[in-house]
Amino acid sequence: MKQHRKKYTAMLLALCAAMNLTACGGNGGSGGSGKDPLAAAMENMSKVESMDAKMVMEMDMTAGDQTLETVTTIDTSLFTEPMRLKVDMTMDMSGYSDVGMEIYAEEAEDGTLVMYQYDGMDWSTQNVTTDDLVQYDVSGSMDAYIASASNFKQEGTEQVGGASAYKYTGVITGDSMQDVMMSSGALDSLGTQMNMDEAQMEELLSGDIAVTLWIDEENLYPVQYDMDMTEVMDGLMGKILEAAGNDAAGLTMSIPKMTISMTCGNFNSATDFTIPEEAKNA
């Protein structure tokens, strides 16, 4: 397990960044107020100027008779006008040192974007485009995920964060997930880390993903979005090893658990932040 940990840790970090796209979405159904909560949530998200989001991904990976349990947390604060972004990513791996990453981005007066990244050791900086940052835009991906989800049905209300919220359940098909990740650029990002081209990545992503969505009953904002990706990711791991050929000779790995939960809040009042001086001086 140890000799392969570094390689697959990089893959998991790339996957986490890609999954950060999964803001909060759904399709179909209506609320008791006469308004369609899903349509209202989509409209509300299109007008959001800032927000906070937290993604927690729990993933267990087995190799032979060893199991590596990981809990990855991504905290994001996003402002759209002008564009400002902060992402804190931490991966807690049982029995190993934690892996962390910080990302900041800001839009200059001339419209150019600068991204600062800390990999746990050093800061780096680069000029980027909006396309480079789309995988971190937890609000802008709403439309894509609403379009990709199907067979959603309302199942009453539940308490989320101390407030009543409409609950919906449904699925995202493998084909839809491919389309969303490809159009957003997340597929390219993940493929680069795994040294695979777009066609190979499309082939790897298959299977349906069960999703549950909660929409705040009073404000009609999406407040939580859960996905169970165990079956899809276990199949993906098998295909990755197969594609690796001799590089993975004798290595058996599986994913017995992978769940993702995204919570969204502080709409139009996101947590402010200051980019560290050491980042700007990198």
Side-chain angles (χ1 to χ4, degrees):
M1 172 80 80
K2 290 183 179 180
Q3 62 182 341
H4 298 283
R5 182 171 64 88
K6 185 175 181 181
K7 174 181 178 181
Y8 287 100
T9 295
M11 182 195 75
L12 289 174
L13 287 172
L15 175 64
C16 290
M19 288 300 102
N20 196 39
L21 272 166
T22 310
C24 309
N27 189 22
S30 61
S33 65
K35 272 189 175 180
D36 180 345
L38 292 162
M42 181 177 179
E43 181 180 356
N44 288 338
M45 286 299 291
S46 70
K47 301 174 183 177
V48 165
E49 297 180 353
S50 71
M51 64 177 289
D52 292 337
K54 178 188 288 289
M55 188 198 83
V56 178
M57 183 177 81
E58 297 186 34
M59 179 173 176
D60 296 347
M61 178 187 298
T62 64
D65 59 353
Q66 299 183 56
T67 299
L68 177 65
E69 298 178 353
T70 66
V71 178
T72 303
T73 303
I74 301 177
D75 289 295
T76 302
S77 293
L78 173 71
F79 296 81
T80 60
E81 295 294 340
M83 171 65 174
R84 296 177 64 236
L85 172 73
K86 177 185 177 181
V87 178
D88 282 331
M89 183 187 302
T90 304
M91 181 185 292
D92 180 8
M93 299 182 290
S94 58
Y96 299 98
S97 299
D98 293 351
V99 176
M101 179 183 297
E102 291 181 57
I103 295 173
Y104 294 86
E106 65 177 352
E107 183 178 353
E109 291 184 1
D110 62 0
T112 59
L113 288 167
V114 181
M115 183 171 74
Y116 310 89
Q117 183 170 314
Y118 182 67
D119 61 5
M121 297 181 63
D122 301 301
W123 284 98
S124 62
T125 180
Q126 61 179 315
N127 292 325
V128 297
T129 67
T130 53
D131 290 342
D132 297 317
L133 297 177
V134 68
Q135 62 183 299
Y136 305 108
D137 185 355
V138 291
S139 63
S141 58
M142 168 65 82
D143 290 352
Y145 275 90
I146 286 182
S148 69
S150 62
N151 302 321
F152 265 72
K153 59 181 179 180
Q154 187 177 330
E155 298 189 357
T157 60
E158 291 183 349
Q159 291 290 307
V160 176
S164 180
Y166 298 112
K167 177 182 178 181
Y168 291 84
T169 58
V171 298
I172 295 179
T173 65
D175 288 343
S176 294
M177 179 64 76
Q178 289 176 21
D179 291 342
V180 172
M181 293 184 70
M182 181 167 59
S183 63
S184 68
L187 201 65
D188 288 338
S189 175
L190 187 56
T192 298
Q193 289 289 339
M194 296 167 60
N195 196 29
M196 294 183 178
D197 60 29
E198 186 177 285
Q200 289 173 311
M201 286 303 303
E202 288 180 16
E203 183 180 351
L204 290 179
L205 291 170
S206 61
D208 294 343
I209 300 170
V211 298
T212 306
L213 164 71
W214 291 265
I215 295 174
D216 183 89
E217 187 174 4
E218 180 179 357
N219 298 320
L220 296 178
Y221 278 110
V223 290
Q224 186 168 330
Y225 191 87
D226 292 354
M227 297 196 300
D228 186 344
M229 300 183 67
T230 303
E231 182 178 350
V232 170
M233 291 307 300
D234 190 45
L236 174 60
M237 180 58 71
K239 293 177 181 178
I240 289 172
L241 294 178
E242 182 180 344
N246 292 334
D247 290 340
L251 179 63
T252 58
M253 301 185 73
S254 63
I255 307 293
K257 175 184 179 180
M258 180 172 173
T259 60
I260 292 176
S261 180
M262 174 81 81
T263 55
C264 308
N266 290 340
F267 298 101
N268 297 318
S269 60
T271 304
D272 203 1
F273 59 87
T274 301
I275 299 176
E277 287 301 318
E278 53 267 35
K280 293 184 176 182
N281 294 331

